């Protein structure tokens, strides 16, 4: 699944929501989150985010690693 990370905080551009073909991106507080079980790994959101906040879960920069758990936790997933 793809993961939204720190550059989204307080930016919340929302372009990713408009392009997601399965509507798995949800607004929550100061950023948006991707529901990992709904994400189909198409990658369209990664290419359109103006602040490059979105990464594949297997290619997260080290400093953004906590957002893998944060995205899952937002939806109550393990
Ligand atoms: Fe955030 Fe980028 Fe989407 S700023 S809301 S991840 S387009």
């Amino acid at each position: 699944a793809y993961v939204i990370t720190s550059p989204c905080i307080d930016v919340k551009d929302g372009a990713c929501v408009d392009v997601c073909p399965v509507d798995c991106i949800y607004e929550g507080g100061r950023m948006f989150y991707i529901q990992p079980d709904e994400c189909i790994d198409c990658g369209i959101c990664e290419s359109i985010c103006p602040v490059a906040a979105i990464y594949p879960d297997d290619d997260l920069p080290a400093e953004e690693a906590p957002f893998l758990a944060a995205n899952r936790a937002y939806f109550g997933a393990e």
Side-chain angles (χ1 to χ4, degrees):
Y2 280 76
V3 174
I4 299 181
T5 66
S6 63
C8 183
I9 296 171
D10 294 335
V11 175
K12 301 173 71 177
D13 179 85
C16 56
V17 176
D18 293 334
V19 299
C20 179
V22 295
D23 294 328
C24 72
I25 305 176
Y26 300 85
E27 185 172 6
R30 294 175 62 193
M31 59 178 283
F32 281 62
Y33 298 94
I34 293 176
Q35 214 295 356
D37 300 321
E38 296 175 2
C39 175
I40 59 170
D41 289 318
C42 72
I44 300 173
C45 59
E46 178 187 27
S47 64
I48 204 154
C49 176
V51 293
I54 306 179
Y55 293 90
D57 58 9
D58 60 359
D59 195 24
L60 274 172
E63 68 272 20
E64 302 291 0
F67 285 90
L68 176 60
N71 276 248
R72 296 199 74 87
Y74 180 72
F75 300 101
E78 289 300 317

